[in-house]
């Protein structure tokens, strides 16, 4: 259903500060200035989906992204639907069900036209204890907050020490 070339392209979402999510896309190749898009997302196609309330718009006023607040991802997958209309006619919908725990594999292999990334906060409660006598320091921290990674063993850290 919908006119060819009107579906969005290059769909991508970024989760940051644990509970915020920005999703963006490019308008379809044959989209005209009166094409309008609407993003819905949720745990699955059959469950309640949430429509965007805070759209990002291009110069023509078309929705090209959305900012979500208070995002909670409890399931292993998420469902996204972008539909809309143009001159009173439906456009081609864009539908994707994304397995969140396979995101890293999708990004590494670049086998998809959609991306979801979580930008992590820095590690929490970083402490440094140095002793002059032994010329040694111990550095401790807690893992960053994240929306879906529950095991701290999933994280790898790099420490850069500068002598000032």
């Amino acid at each position: 259903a919908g006119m060819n070339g009107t579906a969005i392209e290059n769909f991508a979402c970024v989760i940051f500060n644990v509970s915020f999510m920005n999703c963006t896309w490019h308008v379809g190749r044959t989209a005209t200035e009166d094409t309008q898009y609407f993003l819905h997302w949720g745990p699955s196609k059959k469950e309640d989906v949430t429509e965007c309330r805070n759209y990002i718009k291009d110069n023509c006023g078309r929705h090209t992204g959305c900012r979500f607040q208070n995002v909670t991802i409890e399931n292993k997958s998420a469902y996204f639907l972008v539909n809309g209309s143009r001159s009173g006619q439906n456009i081609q919908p864009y539908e994707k069900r994304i397995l969140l725990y396979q995101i890293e594999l999708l990004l590494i292999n670049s086998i998809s036209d959609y991306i979801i990334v979580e930008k992590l906060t820095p590690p929490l409660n970083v402490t440094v204890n140095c002793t002059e006598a032994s010329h040694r320091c111990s550095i401790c921290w807690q893992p960053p907050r994240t929306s879906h990674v529950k095991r701290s063993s999933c994280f790898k850290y790099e420490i850069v020490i500068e002598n000032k």
Side-chain angles (χ1 to χ4, degrees):
M3 301 167 75
N4 284 340
T6 56
I8 64 160
E9 299 175 350
N10 301 319
F11 182 77
C13 294
V14 176
I15 299 169
F16 60 98
N17 289 343
V18 181
S19 63
F20 296 93
M21 181 170 69
N22 284 355
C23 297
T24 58
W25 57 83
H26 294 130
V27 299
R29 291 181 308 279
T30 63
T32 57
E33 289 185 12
D34 66 339
T35 303
Q36 193 55 277
Y37 297 99
F38 302 97
L39 171 64
H40 309 265
W41 88 284
S44 74
K45 184 176 185 175
K46 296 176 184 173
E47 296 181 47
D48 287 337
V49 291
T50 302
E51 183 182 345
C52 177
R53 291 185 178 157
N54 188 12
Y55 283 105
I56 301 165
K57 299 179 182 183
D58 68 7
N59 292 340
C60 297
R62 297 176 293 195
H63 299 159
T64 56
C66 179
R67 294 182 181 99
F68 289 99
Q69 297 180 4
N70 303 318
V71 171
T72 303
I73 299 175
E74 296 176 356
N75 296 349
K76 293 181 181 180
S77 66
Y79 167 75
F80 294 89
L81 167 67
V82 181
N83 58 15
S85 64
R86 168 173 106 173
S87 300
Q89 298 178 321
N90 289 339
I91 63 163
Q92 288 179 314
Y94 174 92
E95 262 185 297
K96 289 291 178 189
R97 181 177 162 264
I98 301 172
L99 296 173
L100 298 173
Y101 295 112
Q102 293 181 1
I103 292 167
E104 291 80 8
L105 295 174
L106 292 173
L107 291 173
I108 291 168
N109 295 323
S110 298
I111 58 172
S112 91
D113 64 336
Y114 54 87
I115 297 174
I116 296 186
V117 175
E118 181 169 6
K119 290 188 178 182
L120 300 175
T121 62
L124 304 171
N125 300 324
V126 177
T127 59
V128 179
N129 292 312
C130 298
T131 58
E132 266 188 61
S134 66
H135 300 289
R136 293 179 185 235
C137 294
S138 68
I139 305 170
C140 300
W141 61 86
Q142 293 176 330
R145 292 176 54 219
T146 176
S147 67
H148 71 282
V149 177
K150 303 299 180 206
R151 295 184 318 217
S152 60
S153 61
C154 292
F155 294 101
K156 291 183 181 180
Y157 301 95
E158 180 179 327
I159 299 173
V160 177
I161 300 173
E162 295 179 3
N163 194 6
K164 292 189 176 189

